[in-house]
Amino acid sequence: MKTKQVRIGNVLIGGGNPVAVQSMTTEKTSDVEKSVAQILRLEEAGCEIVRVAVSDEADALALKTVKSRIHVPVVADVHFSAKLAVLAVENGADKLRINPGNIGAESEIRRVADALKVHRIPVRVGSNSGSIEKNFLEKYGRTAPALVESALHNVQILEKCGVEDIVISVKASSVPLTVEAYTLLAQRCAYPLHLGVTEAGTEESGKIKSAIGIGSLLLNGIGDTIRVSLTADPVKEVYAAHEILRACGLETVYVEVVSCPTCGRCAYDCMGLAERVSERVRNVRRRLKVAVMGCVVNGPGEARGCDLGLAGGKEYCIIIEKGAPDLRVPVEDAERTFFERLERLLTDEE
Amino acid sequence: MKTKQVRIGNVLIGGGNPVAVQSMTTEKTSDVEKSVAQILRLEEAGCEIVRVAVSDEADALALKTVKSRIHVPVVADVHFSAKLAVLAVENGADKLRINPGNIGAESEIRRVADALKVHRIPVRVGSNSGSIEKNFLEKYGRTAPALVESALHNVQILEKCGVEDIVISVKASSVPLTVEAYTLLAQRCAYPLHLGVTEAGTEESGKIKSAIGIGSLLLNGIGDTIRVSLTADPVKEVYAAHEILRACGLETVYVEVVSCPTCGRCAYDCMGLAERVSERVRNVRRRLKVAVMGCVVNGPGEARGCDLGLAGGKEYCIIIEKGAPDLRVPVEDAERTFFERLERLLTDEE
């Protein structure tokens, strides 16, 4: 099901465009130096859209300077205030994240809608299991229909004001509830969907919850932009998001490192080598596949599907390279020889 | 779809039993001291079935002593040798992992099947994208049908020999391929399924691949036992497996810690507190939910669904406890007061 295409600065989402990776700053937006520094780190990690909190006038006014020093579009996250929302838009926000149902009188909502239309920027509305509006909570309980109806209620308010470029989210802290809600929402409308599991816990459990929630939706063809929420440095959110896209086969220009769980059969430092290889290739934007395998049971088979692979043995390892004869090297020389081949592969002309 | 129930030592899998967590040792099995020490660590982390590699006679013979010093059932992983498989069974293996298609003549297969039947233990057969049998690879390519047909071929060999207690796996290093293969397999038979994504990469990407692959299958009701494969300390596999089960709502007796990504609105060390709370409750087998929230937007709503919650503010935090009036405390006292309440909650009579 193809969604409607929406433009956020220089990034297109929906309509079959690649799934875009988002994150959110943790610095106070009005602290321009810190915000810019954090956003530049996020960009380097592969963040394609950045969200910032706008909780007062200073934050809204800071957007202009922040924007002039970064390269990715900025989403202003505003709650409860039409005035701040309009100010954020006037100061260059590329997208708003606001729930019109939260900002009061219809005249206030119209002010925001007019600002969106004049500046031709999109808006994300959405519900969250922690803040479902009271009437939907009473009618449906904390369920998928409550999340979806609450989100669509906000969509309808904007549609009535003539706003067309809308992105929707229905985040819950429960993974099954998140998946159920987005699945239902995808059947109900063609707006692009922003996927995320909210308040996802500590870094460790947050990654796993986000991976399952976002990943299983993406595998079902649902989702146009994703945000991994972690109680951690947001750079880690961006890394995790790319890992999810790669695991789902939606990001293909990178160096995939395949390795196996070491078991009793493994006779060399497979674990350490796999980590060192991954670190080396993390930022290489080439479509390659490398295998670091512990033993000769699954090793050679897996390595043959790769550009370069190592299958460990007891006394010797086999280095398998596409288009070259297999190389048998003593275990103690394996890492050095493997890295030589890897460097040659990475510096090859494409 | 309810699968057939199979007994592995004192653990029942399939037939609606709870999904069991497996891991595999990385020590040489014949090194009894190291193997036992590693298995005891795995047990403490929550491993319910442990697999060990049996690659020579010393490994097979060591099983008896290893078994006498641990508390979870042991699966012997054997390749290519009927003799070793039989020896492993005779020395107390609670389950075999072997592909009969690998062990040669029919008489050899019959020897293994007879040992399984005499000792009434189950067997796992399965295919792996790195070692699909040649004829299936030629017929189907490296696809889900190849994985499934290759696994079912091994099942049929055993069925012909009268073996009934079978568990199946169809692991691939590609997540979409893994999900597709298990989905197809679940439609084709009622044997319990052992889920895993194989050669899943480094610790970081491995966790994410396993979470998506295993998690999305579990959300669809597929899977009876799971193994997270990581190129890392297997204790981490066990932790990750439990995180997956919890995220999917399949493990409920634990202390869930809900927290939110800190953003510009957060005015206290939410991240640090969430980590410290998680560490404290990791091994508590009580069904409780605790929220550590950064701000007052989603915080109070989320905290109200919990047994205990903290919602941060600029100068004060709100501690929300089920059945008690909200407590407003200055930011600097929040962590101390929250931990007092938490300890009281954890030591309460159930």
Side-chain angles (χ1 to χ4, degrees):
Chain A
M1 21 191 173
K2 216 165 166 179
T3 53
K4 181 178 179 339
Q5 177 175 288
V6 164
R7 173 182 294 278
I8 304 161
N10 55 359
V11 176
L12 295 171
I13 67 164
N17 284 291
V19 175
V21 170
Q22 307 207 11
S23 184
M24 186 168 184
T25 58
T26 55
E27 302 293 350
K28 177 96 176 86
T29 306
S30 59
D31 188 332
V32 172
E33 292 307 320
K34 283 191 180 168
S35 294
V36 168
Q38 191 172 44
I39 294 170
L40 293 178
R41 281 174 57 230
L42 289 169
E43 287 181 1
E44 202 188 331
C47 178
E48 294 160 309
I49 298 167
V50 69
R51 180 153 55 108
V52 303
V54 171
S55 44
D56 55 30
E57 226 177 273
D59 285 344
L61 295 173
L63 282 179
K64 198 167 261 177
T65 326
V66 168
K67 273 209 57 170
S68 71
R69 293 169 55 186
I70 63 170
H71 316 88
V72 291
V74 173
V75 183
D77 191 295
V78 189
H79 286 270
F80 313 125
S81 166
K83 193 183 157 204
L84 277 184
V86 172
L87 204 59
V89 173
E90 289 171 351
N91 280 276
D94 297 295
K95 179 182 170 191
L96 265 188
R97 192 279 178 257
I98 197 166
N99 279 341
N102 275 346
I103 55 176
E106 203 185 311
S107 58
E108 294 295 289
I109 296 169
R110 289 222 166 263
R111 278 180 64 196
V112 176
D114 289 344
L116 290 169
K117 287 186 287 182
V118 168
H119 290 82
R120 297 184 175 196
I121 67 161
V123 57
R124 170 162 68 97
V125 301
S127 51
N128 186 304
S129 59
S131 56
I132 298 175
E133 281 142 16
K134 212 175 166 184
N135 50 330
F136 295 106
L137 204 54
E138 278 166 3
K139 190 165 174 194
Y140 299 101
R142 211 173 291 277
T143 62
L147 283 161
V148 170
E149 294 304 331
S150 172
L152 290 178
H153 167 70
N154 280 292
V155 169
Q156 283 149 12
I157 294 174
L158 288 168
E159 284 175 336
K160 261 192 220 159
C161 299
V163 174
E164 288 174 358
D165 291 335
I166 300 174
V167 180
I168 316 181
S169 60
V170 282
K171 300 183 181 184
S173 56
S174 150
V175 173
L177 182 54
T178 303
V179 172
E180 200 189 333
Y182 277 104
T183 305
L184 186 61
L185 181 59
Q187 293 160 357
R188 293 282 303 275
C189 70
Y191 289 114
L193 302 187
H194 165 115
L195 303 187
V197 177
T198 195
E199 288 95 39
T202 54
E203 186 182 339
E204 188 65 15
S205 77
K207 266 184 211 167
I208 285 179
K209 289 174 79 169
S210 288
I212 302 174
I214 294 171
S216 62
L217 287 163
L218 290 175
L219 288 180
N220 285 329
I222 295 170
D224 303 284
T225 178
I226 67 173
R227 193 248 170 135
V228 173
S229 293
L230 297 179
T231 308
D233 182 342
V235 163
K236 293 185 180 172
E237 299 185 345
V238 176
Y239 286 146
H242 283 287
E243 293 285 1
I244 293 172
L245 292 178
R246 291 169 181 184
C248 293
L250 294 170
E251 187 178 315
T252 53
V253 183
Y254 69 99
V255 184
E256 183 181 0
V257 180
V258 172
S259 68
C260 67
T262 48
C263 69
R265 289 189 295 267
C266 183
Y268 79 104
D269 180 21
C270 173
M271 221 179 266
L273 180 57
E275 291 295 340
R276 289 187 287 279
V277 169
S278 297
E279 199 47 46
R280 170 65 187 89
V281 301
R282 176 172 277 213
N283 291 313
V284 178
R285 303 281 163 179
R286 291 275 302 277
R287 193 175 178 154
L288 295 168
K289 195 171 171 184
V290 171
V292 180
M293 305 293 293
C295 81
V296 291
V297 174
N298 298 319
E302 193 68 41
R304 271 185 222 296
C306 296
D307 296 282
L308 181 66
L310 177 79
K314 282 197 176 148
E315 282 150 30
Y316 61 90
C317 294
I318 303 170
I319 292 176
I320 294 166
E321 192 172 357
K322 210 179 252 177
D326 289 358
L327 191 69
R328 196 177 148 126
V329 293
V331 165
E332 57 274 20
D333 292 341
E335 176 156 349
R336 190 182 48 77
T337 311
F338 185 76
F339 262 97
E340 278 172 20
R341 297 278 167 134
L342 180 63
E343 290 302 332
R344 208 172 66 188
L345 181 68
L346 297 179
T347 51
D348 263 4
E349 293 290 323
E350 277 191 85
Chain B
M1 18 185 179
K2 215 166 168 178
T3 52
K4 182 179 179 335
Q5 178 175 287
V6 164
R7 173 182 294 278
I8 304 162
N10 57 358
V11 176
L12 294 171
I13 67 164
N17 284 291
V19 175
V21 170
Q22 307 207 10
S23 184
M24 185 169 184
T25 58
T26 55
E27 302 294 349
K28 177 95 176 85
T29 306
S30 59
D31 188 332
V32 172
E33 292 307 318
K34 283 192 181 167
S35 294
V36 168
Q38 191 173 43
I39 294 171
L40 293 177
R41 282 174 56 230
L42 288 169
E43 287 182 1
E44 202 189 331
C47 178
E48 294 159 310
I49 298 167
V50 70
R51 180 155 53 110
V52 303
V54 171
S55 44
D56 54 31
E57 227 177 272
D59 286 344
L61 295 172
L63 282 179
K64 197 167 261 178
T65 327
V66 168
K67 273 209 60 172
S68 71
R69 292 169 57 185
I70 63 169
H71 317 87
V72 291
V74 173
V75 184
D77 191 294
V78 189
H79 286 271
F80 313 125
S81 166
K83 192 184 157 203
L84 277 182
V86 172
L87 204 60
V89 173
E90 289 171 352
N91 279 277
D94 297 295
K95 179 182 169 192
L96 266 189
R97 193 277 178 259
I98 197 166
N99 279 340
N102 275 344
I103 55 176
E106 204 186 310
S107 58
E108 294 295 289
I109 297 170
R110 290 226 166 258
R111 279 181 64 194
V112 176
D114 289 344
L116 291 169
K117 286 186 286 182
V118 167
H119 290 82
R120 297 184 175 197
I121 68 162
V123 57
R124 169 161 70 96
V125 302
S127 51
N128 186 303
S129 59
S131 57
I132 299 175
E133 282 143 16
K134 213 174 167 187
N135 51 329
F136 295 106
L137 204 55
E138 277 166 5
K139 189 166 174 195
Y140 299 101
R142 211 173 289 275
T143 62
L147 283 161
V148 170
E149 295 304 331
S150 172
L152 291 178
H153 167 68
N154 280 292
V155 168
Q156 283 150 12
I157 295 175
L158 288 167
E159 285 174 336
K160 262 192 221 162
C161 299
V163 174
E164 289 175 356
D165 291 336
I166 300 173
V167 180
I168 316 179
S169 60
V170 281
K171 301 183 180 184
S173 57
S174 150
V175 174
L177 181 54
T178 303
V179 171
E180 201 188 334
Y182 277 103
T183 305
L184 186 60
L185 182 59
Q187 293 159 358
R188 293 282 302 275
C189 70
Y191 290 113
L193 303 186
H194 166 115
L195 303 186
V197 177
T198 195
E199 288 96 39
T202 55
E203 186 182 338
E204 188 65 15
S205 78
K207 268 185 211 167
I208 285 179
K209 288 174 80 170
S210 288
I212 302 174
I214 294 172
S216 62
L217 287 163
L218 290 175
L219 288 179
N220 285 329
I222 295 170
D224 301 285
T225 178
I226 66 173
R227 192 243 172 141
V228 174
S229 293
L230 298 178
T231 307
D233 182 344
V235 162
K236 292 185 181 171
E237 300 185 345
V238 176
Y239 285 147
H242 282 286
E243 293 287 0
I244 292 171
L245 291 178
R246 290 169 181 184
C248 293
L250 294 171
E251 185 177 317
T252 55
V253 184
Y254 69 99
V255 184
E256 183 181 0
V257 180
V258 173
S259 69
C260 67
T262 48
C263 68
R265 289 188 295 267
C266 183
Y268 79 104
D269 180 20
C270 173
M271 220 180 269
L273 181 57
E275 291 295 339
R276 288 187 288 278
V277 170
S278 298
E279 199 47 45
R280 170 66 187 87
V281 301
R282 175 173 279 214
N283 290 312
V284 178
R285 301 283 163 178
R286 290 277 303 278
R287 192 174 177 154
L288 295 169
K289 195 171 171 183
V290 170
V292 180
M293 305 293 295
C295 81
V296 291
V297 173
N298 299 318
E302 192 68 39
R304 269 184 224 297
C306 295
D307 297 281
L308 181 66
L310 177 79
K314 282 200 175 145
E315 282 151 29
Y316 61 90
C317 294
I318 303 171
I319 293 177
I320 295 166
E321 192 172 357
K322 209 180 254 178
D326 289 359
L327 191 69
R328 195 177 148 127
V329 294
V331 164
E332 57 273 21
D333 293 340
E335 177 156 349
R336 189 181 49 77
T337 311
F338 185 75
F339 262 97
E340 279 171 18
R341 297 279 167 135
L342 179 63
E343 290 302 331
R344 209 171 65 189
L345 181 68
L346 297 180
T347 52
D348 262 4
E349 293 289 322
E350 275 190 85

